[in-house]
Amino acid sequence: GLEHVLRPGRIGRLALPHRVVTGAMHLGWEARDDGGAALAAFYVERARGGAGLMVTGGAAVSPEGAGGPGYGVLDDARFRARLRRVAAEVRAAGGLLALQLFHAGRYARPPAGGPHPVAPSAVYSAFSRHTPTALDAAGIARAVADFARGAAHARDLGFAAVEIMGSEGYLLDQFLSPLTNLRDDEWGGDPQRRSRFPVAVLRAVRAAVGTDFPVIMRMTGDDLLAGGTTRDDVLAYARAFAAAGADALNVGVGWHESPVPTVQAVVPPGHWVPVAAAVKAAVGALPVLASNRINRLSQAEAVLAGTPLDLVSMARPFLADPALVANARAGRPVNVCVACNQACIDRSLADEPVSCMVNPRVGREHEPAATPAASPRRVAVVGAGPAGLKAAHGLALAGHRVTVYEADDEPGGQFRLAGRVPGKSDYLAAVGFLVAELARLDVALHTGRRITAADRDLLGGYAGVVVATGVLPRPVPIPGVDLPHVLGYPAAFADGALGERVVVIGGGGVAVDVAHLASDPAGPARRVTVLHRGRRLGARLGRSTRWAVLAELRRQRVDVVPGVRDLRISPAGVCFADAEGRPRTVPADTVVIAAGQVPDDGLVATVRAAGVWHHVVGGARDTAGLDAVRAFAEGAAAAEAF
Ligand code: SF4
C-alpha cells in the first residue's frame, strides 16, 4: 500500500496532493533562449503525471552565484519571462512549482570574463577549481538582498513557493561550516555567528514574500566532511531556521567535495533517512523532507510510515518516470531510476543538458509524444536487451503489433549481468518495467528463440525489423585463453562460476563490474586482481560514479595492476610484465576476460537480404563508445523512425 505517500500534505498555506516532492534538478536548458518552451514542457509533463510540488533547478539570485554557464540568473529579464511562462503552464496543468533560489558561492563556475566567485572566506574549492573572493560587509548585505529580490520575483512570476538552496555546500552552507567560514566578525567565529547569514537570507526572503507564501529551507543534515559542521550545530541551525520562519526543512546530505558517496548506486536506498529524522526530532511540528537515494514510492512509504518525517523528496525517479505517481495510483508499471548518473548528474557536471538512461525523452518533452500510428503494422524486434526492449516499447506505444525474439532464456541482455553487481539490482527492475509494459501492450516476447539466417522468410514477413542482437565478448589473442578456468565475462556472472582467486583481465566498466561482483563482501571471500593495459581503471565511468566504485574496490582489497603487457595464462595463474617491465605471476583459480566487446551483427546481412525496413541499434550497430544510455536512445529512435 501507499496510504502514507498518497495522503494529502501541507507546507505552510500550500496544500499538497500527496507526500512526495519532486526535488530540484539542474536540467541544463534553464538558460536556453527558447522562450521557456522546453523548461515548461518538462514540468508540465510531470504535473500531468501526478507530481505534486516540484522544485525547479537552482535559479541564481545574482550573476556571481550562477553554478555554471547553463544557469539562469534572476536579474535577467529574459530568464524571468521564460520562468513566467513555465509557472503559468504548470499552473494551467494543475501542478505546483517552487522556484529554487540559488547562490553557488565558491562552487560558482563563471564563464570567462564573468564575475569572480565570492564566499565567506577565500578557501579554494577542488570542485570548482576556484579560490573565491571573501565577501565584505557590503557584499554580504547585497547577497542577502539578492535572495530577497529573487523571492519577490518568484512570487510575482506565479510560482507556488520558493526553496532557498542552503545545502550541498553552496553559499549558505559555506557560511555555516568552519571549513569554509574562517571569519571572525559578526558573520563568523562561532556557530551562532556562522548561522547569521543563512538566517538573514531566510528572514529577508520571508519579508519579501509575506507570511502566506511558502518558504522551504534546503539545508545539509550531514556534510560528511572531516572537521565540518557538527551534528549538534546542524540541529541548532535547523531550530534557528524554524524560528526564522521556514515553512519546511528539506534535508540534504553531503557537499560536492565530500569523500563519501551519497547518491550513487553503491549507496543503499534509504541510507540517509536517519539524518533527516534527527532534524525532524529537533524541530517538532515543522514539516521536514527526507531526500537522497529514495528511489521508489514503496521506499517513500516505508519512510513516512516508519518515521515522523512529513514528506519525501525524490528527484531522479521523476526523470526515469515522469508519471510515476499516476502510474502507481493506477497500478501500472513504474519505470525505475537505476542511479547510474550517466545521463543526468554526469552530464550536468559537464555543463551538458541532462537526460535519462531509461527515459531518453527527458529533454525532449517539448517535442510531440508518440501518438498511435494511423495504420498499425507488424514489426519484429530481434534481441531483448535494453535497446531491443526500448524499441519494442516505443513501437507498441505507437500501436504497432510487435513480436520480440530473444536467444537467451531471459530478457535483459547486458542489464541482466549488471543487475547481479552489488548495488545494481535496479538494473533488473528496469528490465522488469519494460517487460511488464510489453505484457500490458500485448507484445509477444519469445525467449530462447535465436533468429538466424534460416529465418529469412520469417523476417521477410514483417513490415520492419529492429536488429538489437547486442554484443559478443571481444576475442583476445592471449596464450592460454582456451584453458578450462578461463571465462568470458558473461559466464562470470553465473552462480558459482568464480573460484577463490580471481584474475580479471580488462580495464573498462565491465571489468570493474566483475571485480565488484567477485569481491562482494556478501559473497564468499575471494582474492581479486584486475590486470589492465591502460593507466586508469574504468576511465570511461562517469565523474560522479568512478571514484565511488573504485573506493569500494579498494575497501574490498581488490588489487588493481595497470600498464600490464605480455599476458600469458597458465593452469596456475596469469603471467605478465608490469608497467616497469618486470615479470610477475598472479595465481588464479578463475581468469575472467572482460576486455571489450564486438557487435553481434551476424543477422544484419540476413535482414538486408530479406529486403524489409530495418534499423540496427545498440551494441549490434557499434560497440565503440557504447553505453546503455546510447542503447536506450537508439532503441527509442528506431521506434520513432518506423
Ligand atoms: Fe536515474 Fe540514470 Fe536516469 Fe539519472 S540517468 S535519472 S541516474 S536512470
Side-chain angles (χ1 to χ4, degrees), residues 445-524:
L445 173 56
H446 302 290
T447 52
R449 173 71 168 92
R450 182 177 297 279
I451 299 292
T452 67
D455 294 303
R456 192 176 133 172
D457 291 346
L458 172 79
L459 298 177
Y462 288 98
V465 177
V466 176
V467 179
T469 39
V471 295
L472 295 169
R474 177 191 300 284
V476 287
I478 300 175
V481 77
D482 295 324
L483 288 165
H485 67 315
V486 182
L487 305 177
Y489 72 84
F493 287 87
D495 281 335
L498 301 174
E500 239 178 81
R501 296 166 306 173
V502 177
V503 171
V504 182
I505 296 178
V510 176
V512 170
D513 270 356
V514 173
H516 199 173
L517 174 78
S519 62
D520 181 3

Side-chain angles (χ1 to χ4, degrees), residues 162-474:
V162 288
E163 176 173 272
I164 301 170
M165 182 37 147
S167 71
E168 261 76 16
Y170 292 112
L171 182 66
L172 271 62
D173 248 345
Q174 292 158 27
F175 270 91
L176 292 171
S177 170
L179 295 172
T180 46
N181 183 343
L182 312 179
R183 306 175 75 100
D184 191 13
D185 61 4
E186 60 178 307
W187 305 104
D190 56 49
Q192 201 271 329
R193 284 180 286 164
R194 286 198 297 272
S195 71
R196 251 188 210 151
F197 176 77
V199 168
V201 166
L202 179 52
R203 287 221 172 94
V205 164
R206 171 58 73 207
V209 295
T211 50
D212 60 343
F213 193 76
V215 177
I216 303 165
M217 188 69 166
R218 169 98 176 163
M219 64 176 290
T220 294
D222 186 342
D223 60 22
L224 305 171
L225 291 165
T229 301
T230 66
R231 196 185 152 103
D232 283 350
D233 288 346
V234 166
L235 302 183
Y237 295 158
R239 284 188 284 264
F241 299 148
D247 291 309
L249 301 179
N250 184 1
V251 181
V253 178
W255 285 27
H256 285 302
E257 290 155 302
S258 306
V260 180
T262 55
V263 295
Q264 290 82 348
V266 293
V267 180
H271 186 73
W272 302 113
V273 170
V275 174
V279 171
K280 174 66 184 173
V283 296
L286 187 70
V288 174
L289 290 74
S291 70
N292 288 34
R293 276 305 266 150
I294 299 166
N295 212 24
R296 289 178 162 76
L297 292 183
S298 58
Q299 291 158 1
E301 176 69 18
V303 172
L304 296 171
T307 73
L309 287 158
D310 305 275
L311 296 147
V312 169
S313 169
M314 296 165 65
R316 293 171 297 173
F318 283 93
L319 297 181
D321 193 337
L324 93 113
V325 176
N327 285 341
R329 276 191 202 270
R332 284 188 296 264
V334 171
N335 205 353
V336 178
C337 162
V338 300
C340 66
N341 294 348
Q342 280 173 250
C344 57
I345 295 176
D346 289 339
R347 288 197 184 162
S348 178
L349 291 173
D351 296 326
E352 292 168 22
V354 311
S355 187
C356 174
M357 176 195 279
V358 299
N359 177 22
R361 185 167 161 77
V362 171
R364 299 175 50 199
E365 289 85 355
H366 53 297
E367 297 173 15
T371 44
S375 51
R377 285 171 287 163
R378 291 181 66 236
V379 53
V381 176
V382 185
L389 290 173
K390 190 70 195 170
H393 189 216
L395 289 162
L397 286 173
H400 296 297
R401 294 208 304 282
V402 186
T403 306
V404 181
Y405 298 99
E406 166 57 45
D408 276 348
D409 291 335
E410 304 259 1
Q414 301 287 301
F415 265 36
R416 263 179 60 221
L417 307 182
R420 304 203 65 152
V421 175
K424 286 192 167 182
S425 60
D426 276 342
Y427 283 69
L428 299 180
V431 173
F433 164 74
L434 286 168
V435 170
E437 276 290 282
L438 297 190
R440 181 177 76 85
L441 297 166
D442 284 329
V443 171
L445 173 56
H446 302 290
T447 52
R449 173 71 168 92
R450 182 177 297 279
I451 299 292
T452 67
D455 294 303
R456 192 176 133 172
D457 291 346
L458 172 79
L459 298 177
Y462 288 98
V465 177
V466 176
V467 179
T469 39
V471 295
L472 295 169
R474 177 191 300 284

Side-chain angles (χ1 to χ4, degrees), residues 12-230:
R13 295 243 179 127
L14 191 63
L16 307 177
H18 51 71
R19 299 300 181 104
V20 175
V21 171
T22 305
M25 289 177 281
H26 176 65
L27 301 172
W29 55 91
E30 285 82 356
R32 192 180 293 167
D33 206 1
D34 65 349
L39 204 54
F42 175 86
Y43 292 111
V44 164
E45 186 164 312
R46 282 151 184 82
R48 294 209 175 111
L53 180 64
M54 301 178 281
V55 185
T56 65
V61 298
S62 62
E64 61 271 27
Y71 278 69
V73 180
L74 284 165
D75 291 337
D76 175 357
R78 283 174 316 173
F79 179 51
R80 293 202 303 275
R82 294 198 292 272
L83 290 179
R84 189 182 293 283
R85 169 177 176 180
V86 173
E89 289 194 15
V90 170
R91 265 199 327 272
L96 299 169
L97 192 59
L99 185 71
Q100 190 186 67
L101 304 172
F102 179 92
H103 192 308
R106 65 196 267 280
Y107 281 170
R109 293 177 305 113
H116 195 75
V118 295
S121 303
V123 178
Y124 175 76
S125 161
F127 175 73
S128 63
R129 304 200 178 97
H130 280 296
T131 301
T133 306
L135 286 160
D136 59 16
I140 290 174
R142 261 200 313 277
V144 172
D146 290 339
F147 272 97
R149 209 172 51 253
H153 282 316
R155 190 177 178 142
D156 291 347
L157 293 170
F159 285 89
V162 288
E163 176 173 272
I164 301 170
M165 182 37 147
S167 71
E168 261 76 16
Y170 292 112
L171 182 66
L172 271 62
D173 248 345
Q174 292 158 27
F175 270 91
L176 292 171
S177 170
L179 295 172
T180 46
N181 183 343
L182 312 179
R183 306 175 75 100
D184 191 13
D185 61 4
E186 60 178 307
W187 305 104
D190 56 49
Q192 201 271 329
R193 284 180 286 164
R194 286 198 297 272
S195 71
R196 251 188 210 151
F197 176 77
V199 168
V201 166
L202 179 52
R203 287 221 172 94
V205 164
R206 171 58 73 207
V209 295
T211 50
D212 60 343
F213 193 76
V215 177
I216 303 165
M217 188 69 166
R218 169 98 176 163
M219 64 176 290
T220 294
D222 186 342
D223 60 22
L224 305 171
L225 291 165
T229 301
T230 66

